[in-house]
Amino acid sequence: MSVETALPPVEKHQHHRDVTGGWLRPAVFGAMDGLVSNFALISGVVGGGAPNAIVVVTGLAGLAAGACSMAAGEYTSVASQTELMRAEIDIEKAELERNPDGELAELIALYEARGLDADTAERVARQLTEQPELAWRVHVREELGVDPDDLPSPYVAAFSSFTAFALGAIIPVLPFILGATGLAVAAVVSMLGLLGAGALVARLTARPWWRGALRQLLLGGIAAAATFGIGSLVGAGLS
């Protein structure tokens, strides 16, 4: 009587978050940059003695200009990076067609360096090489360190950056839109925004929330204090 041992079915666990796609970095950078830069800009204008209307116009102009600039910069940066990756992928495809034996030997050596014995490394490499659509993808992942089927999108990066910058930049302007005449309310709201944004980023990256919150508060406070001081000096010199 033979006993067959069946392997359990493969389960797909979703333990990891999507860290590709090109949205997290521009979104985080955009939100932080929008909040810090616009708070610092408004601080400088208030420090220079500008009336409430000028502060609001300056803040909204800073929001629009910064969001558009961030989106354009992210689009260009990610598009250029993706185009470079695609060019390297084309080079790898051409090399596989031109020198298949050399590429096979390269893959065998790579798997041996990863710890496979020579026979296993050769069997795996040959089996992969027999499937052209799989072979070039394996070479790209192993040699370039990128996933050719999940390249970052410049549109996603630009939209994430634009939206996040605008959301961050509107925070220090809101008190003045609602009638505030001094920097105190805007400072409190901006500090809360900095704490919240820093804590959120820390949670996304699995780090202590308080560390990210305090770090962002410190950096934003330094930037705002510096521009407020410069604005005060310039305003005093022009009056």
Side-chain angles (χ1 to χ4, degrees):
M1 181 178 178
S2 62
V3 179
E4 295 183 359
T5 303
L7 293 175
V10 177
E11 297 182 17
K12 293 184 179 180
H13 298 285
Q14 298 297 328
H15 292 314
H16 301 286
R17 290 163 290 184
D18 179 17
V19 295
T20 58
W23 67 270
L24 180 59
R25 185 190 66 83
V28 170
F29 182 56
M32 295 298 188
D33 191 26
L35 179 51
V36 173
S37 64
N38 227 26
F39 180 40
L41 175 63
I42 288 173
S43 298
V45 174
V46 173
N52 188 76
I54 297 298
V55 175
V56 171
V57 171
T58 301
L60 293 178
L63 183 157
C68 291
S69 176
M70 286 287 294
E74 282 295 335
Y75 179 88
T76 303
S77 174
V78 175
S80 300
Q81 180 186 18
T82 302
E83 288 165 1
L84 176 60
M85 290 179 182
R86 293 191 187 282
E88 292 298 317
I89 289 171
D90 289 340
I91 292 174
E92 192 62 38
K93 287 181 178 180
E95 191 65 21
L96 277 167
E97 293 181 1
R98 188 187 66 83
N99 184 22
D101 292 337
E103 291 296 303
L104 173 62
E106 192 175 89
L107 196 58
I108 292 172
L110 188 149
Y111 285 140
E112 288 180 350
R114 294 283 178 84
L116 296 181
D117 60 74
D119 291 339
T120 303
E122 182 174 356
R123 281 202 310 274
V124 172
R126 286 189 181 278
Q127 187 171 355
L128 292 173
T129 302
E130 290 172 358
Q131 306 173 66
E133 282 301 309
L134 180 60
W136 72 260
R137 285 179 166 83
V138 170
H139 278 272
V140 167
R141 290 189 181 97
E142 296 290 353
E143 296 178 31
L144 302 180
V146 299
D147 185 350
D149 298 315
D150 193 22
L151 297 179
S153 166
Y155 299 102
V156 171
F159 178 78
S160 300
S161 182
F162 181 93
T163 304
F165 187 98
L167 291 174
I170 196 63
I171 292 175
V173 188
L174 275 177
F176 295 96
I177 294 177
L178 297 176
T181 56
L183 191 61
V185 178
V188 171
V189 172
S190 297
M191 285 190 292
L192 292 175
L194 289 168
L195 287 170
L200 177 60
V201 172
R203 293 295 296 172
L204 286 173
T205 55
R207 294 190 175 276
W209 68 268
W210 57 268
R211 183 179 299 174
L214 293 178
R215 178 179 62 182
Q216 196 57 41
L217 177 62
L218 176 63
L219 294 174
I222 291 173
T227 51
F228 180 82
I230 295 171
S232 299
L233 292 174
V234 173
L238 294 177
S239 60

